[in-house]
Amino acid sequence: MAIFEPTDENLSKAGELIRQGELVSFATETVYGLGANALNPEACEKIFKAKNRPHYDPLIVHLASVDQVDDICKEMPTKAQQAAEAFWPGSLTMILPKKDVVPDSITANLDTVAVRIPNHPVALGLLQNAKVPIAAPSANPFGYLSPTTAAHVEEQLGDKLQIILDGGECDCGVESTIIDFTTEPPELLRFGGISQEQIESVCGKINLGKPVLERPLAPGQLASHYSPNTELIILKEGESAKETDGKVGFLKFGDQNLNINVDQTEEVSLDGNLEEAAHNLFSALHKLDDSNLDVIYAYEFPDKGIGRAIMDRLKKAAVKL
Ligand code: TXA
Ligand code: MG
């Protein structure tokens, strides 16, 4: 059992482990992270190994405070500074030009680095104790559903970890929004915890860009991300599910109903609240995926606010390679 309460003593031990080049999993407000000293390439190599993650998928570097940005980034454009003031600590990751201290192996040889200050006492406590930037992807095997509880991490990666710092259920429940501030206007690379509308209210118009994994330099590598093992089918509003002899799961939002017999329903929000649905999304998918079903159905989510991050995760979960 690798799950530990985030006492001062355990945070201090975990910080020490990070400095020694070991892995620590920790709660953030988005999803659980799998962290290592971002400035130590050998330590970060352990992340890629534990997750079975390809090196063309760069890591996000977590910082304790905004004055550390200067240690690892060449500059912070005005719009990035405005966004930092408005949304940090929080579920926004910024792409900025990197300094040489950041190992190329964690940025997939890009000349930029992804940076974020998480808004969770466990993540911040660990960062303060470690006293180094922490590279951390979500703490799941590459391609599988993201973890939003310590138990999810234990289940998926527990044998590879000495310590998982428990911070309860992740409040937000989907990963951070990623914005590339090296272009003008800035580009949104991944929908996440902070909506496009919120970012635009502070930074003005932003364009939609392509995430690293979908760029042509990685042909055919549009990974099936965030995937359950069970087949997931997304229906348009009013569309019918096919009759089946198999066992059916339903990821239900609001007062939706499925036209066929359902064996297991997981409700992400009874009253159709998108924030609540994001919070419950991965837990519901984990439960359905652990229930020996033949197929999971969900209807499309509204194309607004955090609903876009939910749809993005669902679409990726529905892709099978
Ligand atoms: O909420 C989150 O962001 C969580 C928690 C743990 O902080 N972390 C997370 O990391 O979602 P991960 O590894 O699952 O996602 C990292 C993604 C990459 O797949 C890539 O799309 C993008 O961040 N990324 C990282 N560095 C980049 C760069 N230099 N340029 C463009 N995209 C980058
Ligand atoms: Mg991930």
Side-chain angles (χ1 to χ4, degrees):
M1 185 75 168
I3 300 178
F4 289 85
E5 288 301 313
T7 58
D8 286 350
E9 199 192 335
N10 288 337
L11 285 169
S12 159
K13 264 191 213 153
E16 184 59 35
L17 279 176
I18 293 280
R19 277 196 306 281
Q20 289 168 356
E22 298 302 326
L23 299 179
V24 171
S25 175
F26 58 98
T28 85
E29 80 283 26
T30 57
V31 300
Y32 275 69
L34 181 65
N37 179 353
L39 305 181
N40 176 342
E42 286 83 40
C44 292
E45 198 48 42
K46 295 179 184 171
I47 296 178
F48 287 98
K49 235 177 153 185
K51 278 185 63 104
N52 202 7
R53 179 181 177 116
H55 288 85
Y56 54 75
D57 193 7
L59 305 178
I60 295 174
V61 176
H62 298 69
L63 302 175
S65 67
V66 73
D67 43 87
Q68 287 180 298
V69 172
D70 202 39
D71 299 340
I72 60 167
C73 299
K74 282 187 179 152
E75 54 163 346
M76 201 176 183
T78 310
K79 286 186 181 174
Q81 289 174 29
Q82 291 166 336
E85 221 158 274
F87 303 114
W88 275 357
S91 32
L92 170 66
T93 293
M94 305 199 196
I95 307 299
L96 297 170
K98 86 174 188 73
K99 282 188 174 166
D100 292 341
V101 287
V102 181
D104 291 329
S105 58
I106 72 160
T107 64
N109 288 318
L110 296 165
D111 50 15
T112 54
V113 60
V115 197
R116 143 171 144 84
I117 301 178
N119 186 17
H120 194 292
V122 170
L124 291 170
L126 176 66
L127 283 160
Q128 278 147 11
N129 276 280
K131 300 185 180 70
V132 290
I134 296 180
S138 46
N140 53 303
F142 184 70
Y144 191 61
L145 295 172
S146 298
T148 54
T149 64
H152 292 158
V153 182
E154 170 86 37
E155 201 180 301
Q156 300 177 18
L157 295 176
D159 55 337
K160 297 178 173 139
L161 284 167
Q162 294 181 48
I163 181 160
I164 301 165
L165 289 172
D166 195 353
E169 283 180 23
C170 300
D171 208 18
C172 172
V174 290
E175 290 84 348
S176 59
T177 304
I178 302 179
I179 309 273
D180 185 350
F181 283 99
T182 66
T183 61
E184 181 47 47
E187 285 187 350
L188 190 154
L189 304 185
R190 176 173 80 183
F191 288 108
I194 296 188
S195 69
Q196 181 176 358
E197 294 90 328
Q198 282 173 291
I199 309 262
E200 287 188 326
S201 73
V202 171
C203 302
K205 168 114 191 74
I206 47 180
N207 288 341
L208 296 188
K210 276 210 182 308
V212 174
L213 288 181
E214 292 172 30
R215 291 179 201 167
L217 73 160
Q221 283 162 344
L222 166 53
S224 135
H225 242 98
Y226 317 104
S227 283
N229 296 315
T230 317
E231 182 183 17
L232 171 71
I233 296 176
I234 306 169
L235 300 171
K236 294 199 185 323
E237 198 184 331
E239 194 183 341
S240 299
K242 264 195 271 162
E243 288 294 341
T244 168
D245 295 333
K247 284 181 76 187
V248 175
F250 182 32
L251 185 92
K252 176 171 168 156
F253 177 64
D255 56 7
Q256 295 169 340
N257 278 304
L258 210 59
N259 58 295
I260 56 174
N261 186 53
V262 174
D263 296 281
Q264 188 176 336
T265 300
E266 290 297 329
E267 296 184 298
V268 288
S269 170
L270 262 176
D271 52 4
N273 177 308
L274 286 173
E275 272 74 27
E276 188 183 18
H279 170 83
N280 290 321
L281 178 71
F282 281 119
S283 274
L285 286 170
H286 275 281
K287 277 187 206 147
L288 290 166
D289 201 27
D290 289 343
S291 301
N292 290 314
L293 302 167
D294 295 291
V295 61
I296 302 167
Y297 279 100
Y299 285 104
E300 282 185 349
F301 278 74
D303 185 29
K304 63 173 185 205
I306 203 167
R308 289 191 191 141
I310 297 174
M311 260 319 280
D312 171 78
R313 304 307 185 270
L314 275 185
K315 276 194 217 151
K316 286 175 176 153
V319 175
K320 276 278 169 241
L321 291 182

